[in-house]
mmCIF file of all heavy atoms in Angstrom:
data_model
loop_
_atom_site.group_PDB
_atom_site.id
_atom_site.type_symbol
_atom_site.label_atom_id
_atom_site.label_comp_id
_atom_site.label_asym_id
_atom_site.label_seq_id
_atom_site.Cartn_x
_atom_site.Cartn_y
_atom_site.Cartn_z
ATOM 1 N N HIS A 872 -17.852 8.843 -10.357
ATOM 2 C CA HIS A 872 -19.090 9.362 -10.947
ATOM 3 C C HIS A 872 -19.252 10.868 -10.761
ATOM 4 O O HIS A 872 -19.955 11.515 -11.544
ATOM 5 C CB HIS A 872 -20.299 8.625 -10.366
ATOM 6 C CG HIS A 872 -20.411 7.204 -10.845
ATOM 7 N ND1 HIS A 872 -20.688 6.875 -12.150
ATOM 8 C CD2 HIS A 872 -20.258 6.032 -10.182
ATOM 9 C CE1 HIS A 872 -20.723 5.557 -12.285
ATOM 10 N NE2 HIS A 872 -20.461 5.017 -11.101
ATOM 11 N N SER A 873 -18.615 11.435 -9.755
ATOM 12 C CA SER A 873 -18.752 12.880 -9.528
ATOM 13 C C SER A 873 -17.527 13.656 -10.007
ATOM 14 O O SER A 873 -17.393 14.850 -9.721
ATOM 15 C CB SER A 873 -19.016 13.167 -8.050
ATOM 16 O OG SER A 873 -17.962 12.694 -7.238
ATOM 17 N N LYS A 874 -16.637 12.983 -10.736
ATOM 18 C CA LYS A 874 -15.486 13.645 -11.376
ATOM 19 C C LYS A 874 -14.592 14.372 -10.366
ATOM 20 O O LYS A 874 -14.180 15.520 -10.570
ATOM 21 C CB LYS A 874 -15.957 14.637 -12.445
ATOM 22 C CG LYS A 874 -16.925 14.069 -13.454
ATOM 23 C CD LYS A 874 -16.303 12.951 -14.274
ATOM 24 C CE LYS A 874 -17.281 12.441 -15.341
ATOM 25 N NZ LYS A 874 -16.765 11.245 -16.048
ATOM 26 N N VAL A 875 -14.292 13.706 -9.249
ATOM 27 C CA VAL A 875 -13.389 14.283 -8.253
ATOM 28 C C VAL A 875 -12.012 14.480 -8.882
ATOM 29 O O VAL A 875 -11.520 13.636 -9.622
ATOM 30 C CB VAL A 875 -13.302 13.351 -7.013
ATOM 31 C CG1 VAL A 875 -12.117 13.689 -6.126
ATOM 32 C CG2 VAL A 875 -14.602 13.439 -6.221
ATOM 33 N N GLN A 876 -11.367 15.616 -8.571
ATOM 34 C CA GLN A 876 -10.087 15.966 -9.190
ATOM 35 C C GLN A 876 -8.928 15.106 -8.686
ATOM 36 O O GLN A 876 -7.963 14.865 -9.421
ATOM 37 C CB GLN A 876 -9.769 17.441 -8.921
ATOM 38 C CG GLN A 876 -10.768 18.411 -9.498
ATOM 39 C CD GLN A 876 -10.546 19.821 -8.996
ATOM 40 O OE1 GLN A 876 -9.461 20.162 -8.504
ATOM 41 N NE2 GLN A 876 -11.564 20.658 -9.070
ATOM 42 N N HIS A 877 -9.014 14.661 -7.425
ATOM 43 C CA HIS A 877 -7.900 13.904 -6.835
ATOM 44 C C HIS A 877 -8.386 13.170 -5.596
ATOM 45 O O HIS A 877 -8.979 13.777 -4.709
ATOM 46 C CB HIS A 877 -6.762 14.874 -6.460
ATOM 47 C CG HIS A 877 -5.493 14.204 -6.016
ATOM 48 N ND1 HIS A 877 -4.446 14.901 -5.422
ATOM 49 C CD2 HIS A 877 -5.072 12.906 -6.068
ATOM 50 C CE1 HIS A 877 -3.460 14.079 -5.147
ATOM 51 N NE2 HIS A 877 -3.812 12.861 -5.526
ATOM 52 N N LEU A 878 -8.142 11.881 -5.552
ATOM 53 C CA LEU A 878 -8.415 11.076 -4.363
ATOM 54 C C LEU A 878 -7.091 10.740 -3.686
ATOM 55 O O LEU A 878 -6.217 10.116 -4.290
ATOM 56 C CB LEU A 878 -9.140 9.780 -4.732
ATOM 57 C CG LEU A 878 -9.184 8.697 -3.640
ATOM 58 C CD1 LEU A 878 -9.960 9.182 -2.410
ATOM 59 C CD2 LEU A 878 -9.780 7.396 -4.178
ATOM 60 N N VAL A 879 -6.942 11.172 -2.438
ATOM 61 C CA VAL A 879 -5.798 10.814 -1.605
ATOM 62 C C VAL A 879 -6.311 9.865 -0.530
ATOM 63 O O VAL A 879 -7.349 10.134 0.086
ATOM 64 C CB VAL A 879 -5.167 12.063 -0.960
ATOM 65 C CG1 VAL A 879 -4.001 11.675 -0.056
ATOM 66 C CG2 VAL A 879 -4.715 13.046 -2.039
ATOM 67 N N TYR A 880 -5.621 8.759 -0.305
ATOM 68 C CA TYR A 880 -6.130 7.776 0.648
ATOM 69 C C TYR A 880 -4.997 7.245 1.516
ATOM 70 O O TYR A 880 -3.830 7.238 1.117
ATOM 71 C CB TYR A 880 -6.829 6.618 -0.075
ATOM 72 C CG TYR A 880 -5.943 5.852 -1.018
ATOM 73 C CD1 TYR A 880 -5.293 4.693 -0.608
ATOM 74 C CD2 TYR A 880 -5.734 6.301 -2.327
ATOM 75 C CE1 TYR A 880 -4.454 4.003 -1.474
ATOM 76 C CE2 TYR A 880 -4.904 5.613 -3.196
ATOM 77 C CZ TYR A 880 -4.263 4.463 -2.769
ATOM 78 O OH TYR A 880 -3.432 3.792 -3.622
ATOM 79 N N ALA A 881 -5.372 6.793 2.698
ATOM 80 C CA ALA A 881 -4.405 6.262 3.652
ATOM 81 C C ALA A 881 -4.104 4.808 3.351
ATOM 82 O O ALA A 881 -4.983 3.959 3.403
ATOM 83 C CB ALA A 881 -4.935 6.407 5.070
ATOM 84 N N SER A 882 -2.833 4.547 3.038
ATOM 85 C CA SER A 882 -2.337 3.180 3.043
ATOM 86 C C SER A 882 -1.566 3.033 4.356
ATOM 87 O O SER A 882 -1.848 3.732 5.326
ATOM 88 C CB SER A 882 -1.482 2.905 1.816
ATOM 89 O OG SER A 882 -1.091 1.542 1.784
ATOM 90 N N SER A 883 -0.594 2.154 4.414
ATOM 91 C CA SER A 883 0.090 1.908 5.678
ATOM 92 C C SER A 883 1.455 1.281 5.445
ATOM 93 O O SER A 883 1.654 0.537 4.467
ATOM 94 C CB SER A 883 -0.753 0.970 6.546
ATOM 95 O OG SER A 883 -0.020 0.468 7.645
ATOM 96 N N SER A 884 2.374 1.562 6.359
ATOM 97 C CA SER A 884 3.685 0.907 6.302
ATOM 98 C C SER A 884 3.556 -0.601 6.479
ATOM 99 O O SER A 884 4.468 -1.354 6.125
ATOM 100 C CB SER A 884 4.611 1.471 7.378
ATOM 101 O OG SER A 884 4.081 1.228 8.678
ATOM 102 N N SER A 885 2.424 -1.051 7.009
ATOM 103 C CA SER A 885 2.240 -2.488 7.222
ATOM 104 C C SER A 885 2.229 -3.273 5.915
ATOM 105 O O SER A 885 2.428 -4.495 5.924
ATOM 106 C CB SER A 885 0.950 -2.753 7.995
ATOM 107 O OG SER A 885 -0.182 -2.413 7.220
ATOM 108 N N VAL A 886 2.026 -2.600 4.767
ATOM 109 C CA VAL A 886 2.008 -3.334 3.502
ATOM 110 C C VAL A 886 3.369 -3.962 3.195
ATOM 111 O O VAL A 886 3.459 -4.910 2.415
ATOM 112 C CB VAL A 886 1.583 -2.440 2.311
ATOM 113 C CG1 VAL A 886 0.186 -1.872 2.530
ATOM 114 C CG2 VAL A 886 2.588 -1.335 2.036
ATOM 115 N N TYR A 887 4.433 -3.444 3.817
ATOM 116 C CA TYR A 887 5.763 -3.997 3.557
ATOM 117 C C TYR A 887 5.926 -5.389 4.151
ATOM 118 O O TYR A 887 6.807 -6.149 3.735
ATOM 119 C CB TYR A 887 6.847 -3.045 4.062
ATOM 120 C CG TYR A 887 6.938 -1.795 3.216
ATOM 121 C CD1 TYR A 887 6.411 -0.585 3.655
ATOM 122 C CD2 TYR A 887 7.519 -1.832 1.956
ATOM 123 C CE1 TYR A 887 6.469 0.561 2.864
ATOM 124 C CE2 TYR A 887 7.594 -0.703 1.159
ATOM 125 C CZ TYR A 887 7.063 0.500 1.618
ATOM 126 O OH TYR A 887 7.114 1.610 0.820
ATOM 127 N N GLY A 888 5.090 -5.727 5.137
ATOM 128 C CA GLY A 888 4.990 -7.095 5.633
ATOM 129 C C GLY A 888 6.303 -7.787 5.893
ATOM 130 O O GLY A 888 7.104 -7.373 6.733
ATOM 131 N N ALA A 889 6.555 -8.855 5.141
ATOM 132 C CA ALA A 889 7.728 -9.691 5.358
ATOM 133 C C ALA A 889 8.995 -9.134 4.710
ATOM 134 O O ALA A 889 10.049 -9.787 4.755
ATOM 135 C CB ALA A 889 7.457 -11.109 4.840
ATOM 136 N N ASN A 890 8.919 -7.954 4.111
ATOM 137 C CA ASN A 890 10.129 -7.359 3.514
ATOM 138 C C ASN A 890 11.215 -7.172 4.569
ATOM 139 O O ASN A 890 10.942 -6.775 5.699
ATOM 140 C CB ASN A 890 9.811 -5.987 2.893
ATOM 141 C CG ASN A 890 8.993 -6.088 1.624
ATOM 142 O OD1 ASN A 890 8.286 -7.071 1.415
ATOM 143 N ND2 ASN A 890 9.083 -5.083 0.777
ATOM 144 N N VAL A 891 12.455 -7.412 4.192
ATOM 145 C CA VAL A 891 13.564 -7.242 5.133
ATOM 146 C C VAL A 891 14.551 -6.168 4.682
ATOM 147 O O VAL A 891 15.361 -5.695 5.483
ATOM 148 C CB VAL A 891 14.323 -8.578 5.366
ATOM 149 C CG1 VAL A 891 13.413 -9.584 6.061
ATOM 150 C CG2 VAL A 891 14.861 -9.150 4.059
ATOM 151 N N VAL A 892 14.502 -5.777 3.419
ATOM 152 C CA VAL A 892 15.394 -4.724 2.920
ATOM 153 C C VAL A 892 14.877 -3.372 3.404
ATOM 154 O O VAL A 892 13.728 -3.003 3.144
ATOM 155 C CB VAL A 892 15.482 -4.740 1.384
ATOM 156 C CG1 VAL A 892 16.356 -3.586 0.892
ATOM 157 C CG2 VAL A 892 16.040 -6.072 0.897
ATOM 158 N N GLN A 893 15.718 -2.641 4.136
ATOM 159 C CA GLN A 893 15.317 -1.337 4.659
ATOM 160 C C GLN A 893 16.370 -0.298 4.332
ATOM 161 O O GLN A 893 17.537 -0.633 4.137
ATOM 162 C CB GLN A 893 15.096 -1.434 6.175
ATOM 163 C CG GLN A 893 13.918 -2.309 6.533
ATOM 164 C CD GLN A 893 13.456 -2.130 7.972
ATOM 165 O OE1 GLN A 893 13.699 -1.103 8.603
ATOM 166 N NE2 GLN A 893 12.774 -3.135 8.493
ATOM 167 N N PRO A 894 15.983 1.008 4.222
ATOM 168 C CA PRO A 894 14.644 1.523 4.459
ATOM 169 C C PRO A 894 13.646 1.057 3.395
ATOM 170 O O PRO A 894 14.025 0.814 2.251
ATOM 171 C CB PRO A 894 14.836 3.044 4.410
ATOM 172 C CG PRO A 894 16.037 3.249 3.571
ATOM 173 C CD PRO A 894 16.937 2.090 3.865
ATOM 174 N N PHE A 895 12.379 0.947 3.808
ATOM 175 C CA PHE A 895 11.326 0.542 2.896
ATOM 176 C C PHE A 895 11.127 1.613 1.824
ATOM 177 O O PHE A 895 10.970 2.790 2.131
ATOM 178 C CB PHE A 895 10.009 0.349 3.640
ATOM 179 C CG PHE A 895 9.995 -0.816 4.592
ATOM 180 C CD1 PHE A 895 9.276 -0.737 5.777
ATOM 181 C CD2 PHE A 895 10.662 -1.993 4.306
ATOM 182 C CE1 PHE A 895 9.240 -1.804 6.661
ATOM 183 C CE2 PHE A 895 10.635 -3.069 5.193
ATOM 184 C CZ PHE A 895 9.912 -2.970 6.370
ATOM 185 N N SER A 896 11.112 1.185 0.579
ATOM 186 C CA SER A 896 10.925 2.098 -0.542
ATOM 187 C C SER A 896 9.642 1.755 -1.294
ATOM 188 O O SER A 896 9.284 0.572 -1.415
ATOM 189 C CB SER A 896 12.112 2.011 -1.497
ATOM 190 O OG SER A 896 11.840 2.658 -2.719
ATOM 191 N N GLU A 897 8.984 2.775 -1.817
ATOM 192 C CA GLU A 897 7.787 2.567 -2.636
ATOM 193 C C GLU A 897 8.101 1.738 -3.884
ATOM 194 O O GLU A 897 7.186 1.182 -4.497
ATOM 195 C CB GLU A 897 7.191 3.908 -3.077
ATOM 196 C CG GLU A 897 6.850 4.855 -1.938
ATOM 197 C CD GLU A 897 7.984 5.819 -1.620
ATOM 198 O OE1 GLU A 897 9.165 5.476 -1.883
ATOM 199 O OE2 GLU A 897 7.688 6.903 -1.103
ATOM 200 N N HIS A 898 9.365 1.676 -4.250
ATOM 201 C CA HIS A 898 9.758 0.930 -5.445
ATOM 202 C C HIS A 898 9.926 -0.558 -5.169
ATOM 203 O O HIS A 898 10.112 -1.345 -6.088
ATOM 204 C CB HIS A 898 11.050 1.523 -6.009
ATOM 205 C CG HIS A 898 10.984 3.005 -6.219
ATOM 206 N ND1 HIS A 898 10.114 3.588 -7.121
ATOM 207 C CD2 HIS A 898 11.643 4.026 -5.632
ATOM 208 C CE1 HIS A 898 10.260 4.900 -7.088
ATOM 209 N NE2 HIS A 898 11.173 5.190 -6.180
ATOM 210 N N HIS A 899 9.850 -0.951 -3.880
ATOM 211 C CA HIS A 899 9.944 -2.365 -3.516
ATOM 212 C C HIS A 899 8.611 -3.081 -3.740
ATOM 213 O O HIS A 899 7.539 -2.473 -3.657
ATOM 214 C CB HIS A 899 10.316 -2.520 -2.037
ATOM 215 C CG HIS A 899 11.687 -2.016 -1.699
ATOM 216 N ND1 HIS A 899 12.090 -1.783 -0.396
ATOM 217 C CD2 HIS A 899 12.744 -1.697 -2.476
ATOM 218 C CE1 HIS A 899 13.330 -1.345 -0.395
ATOM 219 N NE2 HIS A 899 13.751 -1.282 -1.644
ATOM 220 N N SER A 900 8.677 -4.377 -3.966
ATOM 221 C CA SER A 900 7.472 -5.194 -4.026
ATOM 222 C C SER A 900 6.851 -5.301 -2.629
ATOM 223 O O SER A 900 7.565 -5.362 -1.628
ATOM 224 C CB SER A 900 7.822 -6.592 -4.538
ATOM 225 O OG SER A 900 6.730 -7.479 -4.372
ATOM 226 N N VAL A 901 5.511 -5.319 -2.581
ATOM 227 C CA VAL A 901 4.820 -5.477 -1.282
ATOM 228 C C VAL A 901 3.763 -6.581 -1.411
ATOM 229 O O VAL A 901 2.590 -6.385 -1.111
ATOM 230 C CB VAL A 901 4.184 -4.157 -0.791
ATOM 231 C CG1 VAL A 901 5.245 -3.195 -0.306
ATOM 232 C CG2 VAL A 901 3.350 -3.498 -1.884
ATOM 233 N N ASP A 902 4.219 -7.745 -1.829
ATOM 234 C CA ASP A 902 3.305 -8.849 -2.112
ATOM 235 C C ASP A 902 3.210 -9.885 -1.001
ATOM 236 O O ASP A 902 2.627 -10.947 -1.206
ATOM 237 C CB ASP A 902 3.727 -9.550 -3.412
ATOM 238 C CG ASP A 902 3.467 -8.683 -4.633
ATOM 239 O OD1 ASP A 902 2.583 -7.806 -4.559
ATOM 240 O OD2 ASP A 902 4.159 -8.877 -5.655
ATOM 241 N N HIS A 903 3.799 -9.582 0.181
ATOM 242 C CA HIS A 903 3.781 -10.581 1.252
ATOM 243 C C HIS A 903 3.348 -9.958 2.580
ATOM 244 O O HIS A 903 4.125 -9.882 3.533
ATOM 245 C CB HIS A 903 5.162 -11.249 1.383
ATOM 246 C CG HIS A 903 5.564 -11.977 0.135
ATOM 247 N ND1 HIS A 903 6.258 -11.375 -0.888
ATOM 248 C CD2 HIS A 903 5.332 -13.263 -0.268
ATOM 249 C CE1 HIS A 903 6.443 -12.255 -1.863
ATOM 250 N NE2 HIS A 903 5.897 -13.403 -1.512
ATOM 251 N N PRO A 904 2.091 -9.515 2.681
ATOM 252 C CA PRO A 904 1.589 -8.959 3.946
ATOM 253 C C PRO A 904 1.521 -10.044 5.019
ATOM 254 O O PRO A 904 1.411 -11.233 4.703
ATOM 255 C CB PRO A 904 0.192 -8.448 3.585
ATOM 256 C CG PRO A 904 -0.217 -9.269 2.400
ATOM 257 C CD PRO A 904 1.047 -9.544 1.632
ATOM 258 N N VAL A 905 1.586 -9.613 6.290
ATOM 259 C CA VAL A 905 1.557 -10.592 7.385
ATOM 260 C C VAL A 905 0.368 -10.356 8.326
ATOM 261 O O VAL A 905 0.323 -10.906 9.420
ATOM 262 C CB VAL A 905 2.885 -10.581 8.182
ATOM 263 C CG1 VAL A 905 4.033 -11.055 7.296
ATOM 264 C CG2 VAL A 905 3.195 -9.210 8.755
ATOM 265 N N SER A 906 -0.605 -9.553 7.899
ATOM 266 C CA SER A 906 -1.854 -9.385 8.651
ATOM 267 C C SER A 906 -2.951 -9.026 7.656
ATOM 268 O O SER A 906 -2.676 -8.523 6.561
ATOM 269 C CB SER A 906 -1.732 -8.271 9.702
ATOM 270 O OG SER A 906 -1.650 -6.985 9.084
ATOM 271 N N LEU A 907 -4.198 -9.287 8.038
ATOM 272 C CA LEU A 907 -5.316 -8.937 7.168
ATOM 273 C C LEU A 907 -5.417 -7.425 7.000
ATOM 274 O O LEU A 907 -5.777 -6.932 5.927
ATOM 275 C CB LEU A 907 -6.627 -9.494 7.714
ATOM 276 C CG LEU A 907 -7.842 -9.258 6.810
ATOM 277 C CD1 LEU A 907 -7.668 -9.973 5.468
ATOM 278 C CD2 LEU A 907 -9.123 -9.709 7.490
ATOM 279 N N TYR A 908 -5.082 -6.674 8.056
ATOM 280 C CA TYR A 908 -5.073 -5.213 7.945
ATOM 281 C C TYR A 908 -4.129 -4.788 6.824
ATOM 282 O O TYR A 908 -4.487 -3.983 5.949
ATOM 283 C CB TYR A 908 -4.644 -4.586 9.272
ATOM 284 C CG TYR A 908 -4.382 -3.100 9.170
ATOM 285 C CD1 TYR A 908 -5.422 -2.217 8.929
ATOM 286 C CD2 TYR A 908 -3.090 -2.593 9.304
ATOM 287 C CE1 TYR A 908 -5.188 -0.846 8.819
ATOM 288 C CE2 TYR A 908 -2.846 -1.229 9.194
ATOM 289 C CZ TYR A 908 -3.898 -0.370 8.950
ATOM 290 O OH TYR A 908 -3.655 0.982 8.827
ATOM 291 N N ALA A 909 -2.916 -5.328 6.824
ATOM 292 C CA ALA A 909 -1.944 -4.994 5.789
ATOM 293 C C ALA A 909 -2.456 -5.399 4.407
ATOM 294 O O ALA A 909 -2.320 -4.650 3.435
ATOM 295 C CB ALA A 909 -0.614 -5.674 6.083
ATOM 296 N N ALA A 910 -3.057 -6.574 4.318
ATOM 297 C CA ALA A 910 -3.593 -7.043 3.036
ATOM 298 C C ALA A 910 -4.688 -6.119 2.531
ATOM 299 O O ALA A 910 -4.778 -5.853 1.321
ATOM 300 C CB ALA A 910 -4.119 -8.468 3.186
ATOM 301 N N SER A 911 -5.517 -5.606 3.437
ATOM 302 C CA SER A 911 -6.596 -4.700 3.016
ATOM 303 C C SER A 911 -6.039 -3.383 2.492
ATOM 304 O O SER A 911 -6.580 -2.798 1.549
ATOM 305 C CB SER A 911 -7.569 -4.455 4.177
ATOM 306 O OG SER A 911 -7.019 -3.604 5.178
ATOM 307 N N LYS A 912 -4.937 -2.918 3.067
ATOM 308 C CA LYS A 912 -4.316 -1.675 2.597
ATOM 309 C C LYS A 912 -3.621 -1.883 1.249
ATOM 310 O O LYS A 912 -3.665 -1.016 0.371
ATOM 311 C CB LYS A 912 -3.334 -1.146 3.645
ATOM 312 C CG LYS A 912 -4.013 -0.592 4.888
ATOM 313 C CD LYS A 912 -4.914 0.571 4.531
ATOM 314 C CE LYS A 912 -5.544 1.246 5.718
ATOM 315 N NZ LYS A 912 -6.378 2.402 5.347
ATOM 316 N N LYS A 913 -2.973 -3.022 1.071
ATOM 317 C CA LYS A 913 -2.404 -3.369 -0.228
ATOM 318 C C LYS A 913 -3.521 -3.448 -1.270
ATOM 319 O O LYS A 913 -3.369 -2.967 -2.412
ATOM 320 C CB LYS A 913 -1.659 -4.696 -0.123
ATOM 321 C CG LYS A 913 -1.317 -5.368 -1.436
ATOM 322 C CD LYS A 913 -0.300 -4.616 -2.243
ATOM 323 C CE LYS A 913 0.129 -5.462 -3.460
ATOM 324 N NZ LYS A 913 1.007 -4.726 -4.377
ATOM 325 N N ALA A 914 -4.646 -4.042 -0.889
ATOM 326 C CA ALA A 914 -5.790 -4.129 -1.801
ATOM 327 C C ALA A 914 -6.277 -2.740 -2.203
ATOM 328 O O ALA A 914 -6.637 -2.511 -3.368
ATOM 329 C CB ALA A 914 -6.921 -4.925 -1.153
ATOM 330 N N ASN A 915 -6.290 -1.810 -1.261
ATOM 331 C CA ASN A 915 -6.699 -0.436 -1.581
ATOM 332 C C ASN A 915 -5.827 0.162 -2.668
ATOM 333 O O ASN A 915 -6.312 0.844 -3.581
ATOM 334 C CB ASN A 915 -6.635 0.446 -0.339
ATOM 335 C CG ASN A 915 -7.731 0.186 0.670
ATOM 336 O OD1 ASN A 915 -7.689 0.706 1.780
ATOM 337 N ND2 ASN A 915 -8.715 -0.618 0.313
ATOM 338 N N GLU A 916 -4.518 -0.073 -2.582
ATOM 339 C CA GLU A 916 -3.606 0.455 -3.601
ATOM 340 C C GLU A 916 -3.912 -0.148 -4.970
ATOM 341 O O GLU A 916 -3.904 0.559 -5.992
ATOM 342 C CB GLU A 916 -2.157 0.171 -3.201
ATOM 343 C CG GLU A 916 -1.725 0.882 -1.926
ATOM 344 C CD GLU A 916 -0.303 0.583 -1.503
ATOM 345 O OE1 GLU A 916 0.400 -0.149 -2.242
ATOM 346 O OE2 GLU A 916 0.120 1.078 -0.444
ATOM 347 N N LEU A 917 -4.190 -1.434 -5.008
ATOM 348 C CA LEU A 917 -4.517 -2.098 -6.270
ATOM 349 C C LEU A 917 -5.849 -1.595 -6.826
ATOM 350 O O LEU A 917 -5.986 -1.364 -8.038
ATOM 351 C CB LEU A 917 -4.574 -3.612 -6.066
ATOM 352 C CG LEU A 917 -3.277 -4.301 -5.646
ATOM 353 C CD1 LEU A 917 -3.537 -5.768 -5.321
ATOM 354 C CD2 LEU A 917 -2.225 -4.177 -6.731
ATOM 355 N N MET A 918 -6.831 -1.427 -5.958
ATOM 356 C CA MET A 918 -8.136 -0.929 -6.382
ATOM 357 C C MET A 918 -8.023 0.489 -6.941
ATOM 358 O O MET A 918 -8.624 0.829 -7.968
ATOM 359 C CB MET A 918 -9.109 -0.971 -5.202
ATOM 360 C CG MET A 918 -9.424 -2.378 -4.716
ATOM 361 S SD MET A 918 -10.083 -2.430 -3.019
ATOM 362 C CE MET A 918 -11.740 -1.797 -3.294
#
């Protein structure tokens, strides 16, 4: 509503959850979090 030019927000490495392929890449799927904290950060990215 206030026309902010850029929103930068903290996500977390915890979103990688059950992923086993490393190093973790932003291009990987992150659909299997293993804590509510991780799920909330994944939700932030979707929002």
Side-chain angles (χ1 to χ4, degrees):
H872 289 293
S873 60
K874 308 297 183 187
V875 164
Q876 298 170 19
H877 188 191
L878 166 63
V879 178
Y880 60 95
S882 184
S883 167
S884 62
S885 67
V886 300
Y887 289 103
N890 288 24
V891 294
V892 177
Q893 293 195 23
F895 292 145
S896 168
E897 304 93 333
H898 308 296
H899 294 165
S900 169
V901 287
D902 290 335
H903 298 89
V905 295
S906 70
L907 184 63
Y908 170 68
S911 73
K912 289 299 184 178
K913 165 68 172 173
N915 287 170
E916 296 179 3
L917 297 173
M918 295 160 74

